Amino acid sequence: MKISKKMMPLAVLVAVVVLLAIALAVLSGLDTEEETGLPLFELDPDSVTAVSYQQQDEEDPVDVTLLYADETWTLSDDPTLPLDQETTANLAADIAGLTALRDLGTDAETEEMGLDEPTAVLRLAVDGGDITAEPATGETASGLYTLTIGAENSVTGAYYAKGSWGDSVYTIDSSDLSGLFKTPRQLYADQEITDLETTDLTAMTVELPGETLDFAYDGETWTLADDPDYPLDQDIVTKMASTLCSLKSQWSITSPEADSVYGLDSPDAIVTLTGSDGTTVTARFGAVSAEDDTVSYLQASTAPDVVYEISSTNLSAYAYTKDSLQAATDETATEESSEEDIIAENPVGGADDYVSSVPADE
């Protein structure tokens, strides 16, 4: 059967469409392979019981070991430091699921890959394996995996890497490594100083360097316990109470030094809250950090062996005395007439003329 000249363009078009479809299928397969990557550890993330990582950053090196037991992640060298469990678990899963771009095989020339002076080292232990054991070839048999990460290829942007479980050399996309070397501060779970709500309070004491203020609260109005008729600025006193009720830490110093190091021996304020059920919480507000003026120190009765780092802006809530807490009343309001009142009463001259017209001896 001969194809007529009129049908020829259509046949060519069909052939082109078929070729494009085949090419698209091939490319789609390649994309899928690239997105999937080559699993490095090939283990069940749920079996991971310890993770450690070291990053050799010249300015800020990272060396972290995390342990998992009783459904809780802890920092090995500071087990009482509260960690954000979701963030830490996700980090461990990301490390366990790390993939390679390429397997360069066992014959790759490694002299220029920086594996002898690694940029970073990642380790995983499964099923209770000892994460502190010395790396050795074939670690998978003992439940340990070590991944040594060398230099970055300046052309591809990928890092060279080698696992302790074999002789192959891999390349890893730099974007897959970013975010894997979190510091303890990045894993920290901020702490609420108290679970008391402002609406549940019945009393508050604020001890300042110069005086002590005792407040009572009936659910609507704050008063001074020893001077209930004293007009208080309700907004300011409420801020005093709500500051501590809503306060969260930025860091926990679990093995603090002497109180004097943090200014807690002569605090700027000591605040005690009393709840309707009789619960009391006392917090001492210490000094501003000498290294970072956005940070100050606090010690609370809810965790007496810990010193918290908090935002120094919280100190402003207690920078008041009894006099500065006084609310404006009809008696304390100024009795001086405004310029507008004077002008209204003296329509022919105005305020200046009025003042100048008053005899000096009056």
Side-chain angles (χ1 to χ4, degrees):
M1 176 179 175
K2 294 182 179 181
I3 300 176
S4 67
K5 292 182 179 181
K6 291 183 179 181
M7 296 294 292
M8 185 67 71
L10 180 60
V12 172
L13 180 60
V14 171
V16 170
V17 170
V18 171
L19 289 175
L20 287 175
I22 294 173
L24 181 61
V26 172
L27 290 175
S28 297
L30 291 176
D31 288 343
T32 301
E33 181 179 351
E34 182 176 343
E35 290 176 2
T36 303
L38 304 171
L40 285 168
F41 297 108
E42 296 187 355
L43 51 79
D44 179 3
D46 292 337
S47 67
V48 176
T49 53
V51 174
S52 74
Y53 47 88
Q54 296 80 41
Q55 186 179 38
Q56 308 304 320
D57 189 296
E58 293 183 2
E59 296 183 359
D60 193 15
V62 178
D63 188 349
V64 171
T65 298
L66 301 165
L67 306 176
Y68 185 71
D70 299 326
E71 300 184 353
T72 303
W73 285 98
T74 58
L75 192 66
S76 66
D77 57 359
D78 193 356
T80 61
L81 184 75
L83 299 181
D84 186 304
Q85 293 299 306
E86 182 177 358
T87 300
T88 308
N90 288 340
L91 174 63
D94 288 343
I95 293 175
L98 196 61
T99 61
L101 288 173
R102 295 177 60 199
D103 182 346
L104 302 180
T106 60
D107 298 327
E109 298 292 334
T110 61
E111 288 77 7
E112 304 298 325
M113 294 184 178
L115 295 170
D116 293 334
E117 296 181 3
T119 300
V121 176
L122 294 166
R123 302 195 78 197
L124 293 174
V126 298
D127 299 327
D130 184 5
I131 195 74
T132 64
E134 289 297 322
T137 302
E139 278 184 341
T140 52
S142 57
L144 297 175
Y145 300 77
T146 299
L147 183 68
T148 301
I149 300 171
E152 182 181 17
N153 185 306
S154 59
V155 176
T156 65
Y159 281 86
Y160 297 107
K162 189 173 184 298
S164 61
W165 54 88
D167 296 324
S168 287
V169 175
Y170 305 92
T171 59
I172 302 176
D173 194 320
S174 58
S175 63
D176 290 341
L177 295 175
S178 64
L180 293 186
F181 302 95
K182 295 186 184 300
T183 65
R185 283 186 179 269
Q186 292 173 312
L187 297 173
Y188 177 70
D190 53 16
Q191 300 295 291
E192 293 184 350
I193 306 304
T194 175
D195 58 2
L196 288 173
E197 300 289 341
T198 307
T199 53
D200 294 332
L201 299 180
T202 58
M204 174 175 62
T205 299
V206 180
E207 299 177 54
L208 303 170
E211 63 181 332
T212 297
L213 303 172
D214 288 312
F215 302 94
Y217 186 58
D218 62 5
E220 293 183 0
T221 306
W222 287 98
T223 57
L224 284 173
D226 59 352
D227 192 357
D229 295 327
Y230 188 82
L232 289 174
D233 187 313
Q234 294 296 310
D235 290 339
I236 296 177
V237 180
T238 299
K239 181 181 178 182
M240 285 181 167
S242 61
T243 293
L244 184 53
C245 286
S246 61
L247 189 58
K248 290 187 177 182
S249 65
Q250 296 180 345
W251 182 248
S252 296
I253 303 173
T254 56
S255 298
E257 300 178 63
D259 283 356
S260 58
V261 174
Y262 313 102
L264 295 169
D265 55 335
S266 55
D268 288 344
I270 302 175
V271 182
T272 300
L273 302 179
T274 302
S276 56
D277 62 353
T279 300
T280 62
V281 174
T282 299
R284 293 186 292 161
F285 289 80
V288 174
S289 168
E291 290 76 26
D292 184 354
D293 62 7
T294 67
V295 171
S296 60
Y297 301 106
L298 178 140
Q299 188 273 332
S301 59
T302 49
D305 297 327
V306 175
V307 171
Y308 294 115
E309 291 183 4
I310 62 171
S311 171
S312 57
T313 58
N314 292 287
L315 297 176
S316 64
Y318 307 103
Y320 295 91
T321 62
K322 179 179 178 180
D323 290 342
S324 62
L325 287 173
Q326 185 177 14
T329 64
D330 293 340
E331 290 76 14
T332 60
T334 178
E335 296 179 356
E336 294 182 359
S337 299
S338 66
E339 181 175 319
E340 291 79 5
D341 292 336
I342 295 173
I343 293 174
E345 294 173 3
N346 299 271
V348 176
D352 291 338
D353 290 339
Y354 174 75
V355 173
S356 63
S357 68
V358 177
D361 57 354
E362 295 183 14

